[in-house]
Amino acid sequence: MRFGVGIRSRAALLSGKQGIKSADRSQRTLCPGKHTTAAMLFELFYPNTTRVDHVVFSQIMPKLQQGADFGVCILKGVSLGAIKGWTW
């Protein structure tokens, strides 16, 4: 799902490995903080779908590469995710 502001926005909300769906509480989603816009949007669009772990924003993409199922990435994470081969 893409979420963003403006006509040409391509900001990602949820990034993850290609082909997996967020549907299981055993799956792990990384959010940049409990009281952030990213966490609010994740809860709005994907309520009660996965376990949420809050980490520093700059740790989301590296932790995705290390095995986390999903990461909530808005703003800078979109470009970095595309470079690393993640989809949204």
Side-chain angles (χ1 to χ4, degrees):
M1 171 179 273
R2 293 180 183 166
F3 180 87
V5 178
I7 295 172
R8 297 184 184 263
S9 178
R10 293 181 52 105
L13 176 56
L14 188 63
S15 296
K17 293 180 182 176
Q18 194 168 12
I20 63 172
K21 305 282 183 198
S22 59
D24 190 323
R25 295 294 281 176
S26 69
Q27 294 172 315
R28 180 174 145 190
T29 298
L30 304 173
C31 283
K34 187 174 183 175
H35 301 290
T36 62
T37 302
M40 179 196 69
L41 291 172
F42 177 74
E43 191 59 36
L44 180 67
F45 288 106
Y46 300 96
N48 303 311
T49 53
T50 67
R51 184 176 86 244
V52 176
D53 291 339
H54 298 283
V55 298
V56 176
F57 176 82
S58 60
Q59 294 178 354
I60 292 175
M61 287 300 174
K63 286 184 181 280
L64 278 171
Q65 288 187 311
Q66 295 169 5
D69 298 301
F70 303 98
V72 179
C73 303
I74 57 177
L75 305 174
K76 296 175 187 170
V78 176
S79 299
L80 183 59
I83 291 168
K84 300 289 184 180
W86 294 93
T87 63
W88 51 88

